[in-house]
Amino acid sequence: EEMNNSSLVLKLTYQDVSFLFTGDGETACLSSLCSGGNLPAQVLKLPHHGSKTGLWPPFYQQVAPKAVVISVGKNSFGHPAREVLEYWEEKNIPVYRTDVHGAITFSTDGRELWVETFLH
């Protein structure tokens, strides 16, 4: 668990568009990020394959993404968690999943954002 909270977190910004990559961070990591500020991003790669250990609404509210990505494949852990999927569904935020959509490609000119998926 401590290893997950030591994951590299990276924010990539090009002009007006930002992507936030959260590694395998769990609640303790996300809480720490919230105290650091500058979290808003148009695209959020959800932590820990959409696990419920990464479900922390205060963090999600600070990021305020327009789209989320879950990097996940077939697994025995139940990822992504139903609660995580329901959270984003209630917010009407599109969720892109590698197990459903295959490769997910975001393109930007620094103002607009486009997404393409390998599987439809």
Side-chain angles (χ1 to χ4, degrees):
E1 185 175 318
E2 284 186 33
M3 297 265 314
N4 288 343
N5 285 319
S6 297
S7 291
L8 176 66
V9 175
L10 176 71
K11 184 174 182 182
L12 174 66
T13 301
Y14 177 63
Q15 295 180 10
D16 298 332
V17 178
S18 294
F19 300 82
L20 185 60
F21 302 92
T22 57
D24 278 343
E26 297 179 352
T27 305
C29 174
L30 304 179
S31 174
S32 176
L33 289 169
C34 283
S35 66
N38 195 23
L39 289 177
Q42 285 73 28
V43 180
L44 172 64
K45 198 289 285 173
L46 290 184
H48 204 153
H49 316 288
S51 165
K52 64 182 174 184
T53 63
L55 176 59
W56 204 53
F59 172 76
Y60 292 161
Q61 291 162 5
Q62 282 194 32
V63 177
K66 304 294 183 226
V68 296
V69 176
I70 302 174
S71 177
V72 65
K74 185 176 181 179
N75 66 86
S76 61
F77 301 102
H79 301 333
R82 178 183 43 78
E83 301 93 327
V84 172
L85 297 173
E86 288 173 354
Y87 176 89
W88 296 107
E89 186 177 305
E90 289 172 8
K91 304 286 185 215
N92 292 314
I93 303 294
V95 175
Y96 298 96
R97 300 170 44 171
T98 55
D99 64 334
V100 173
H101 299 103
I104 303 158
T105 304
F106 286 89
S107 303
T108 184
D109 61 2
R111 293 189 184 129
E112 299 291 323
L113 185 66
W114 301 275
V115 63
E116 291 182 62
T117 61
F118 183 74
L119 303 173
H120 297 281

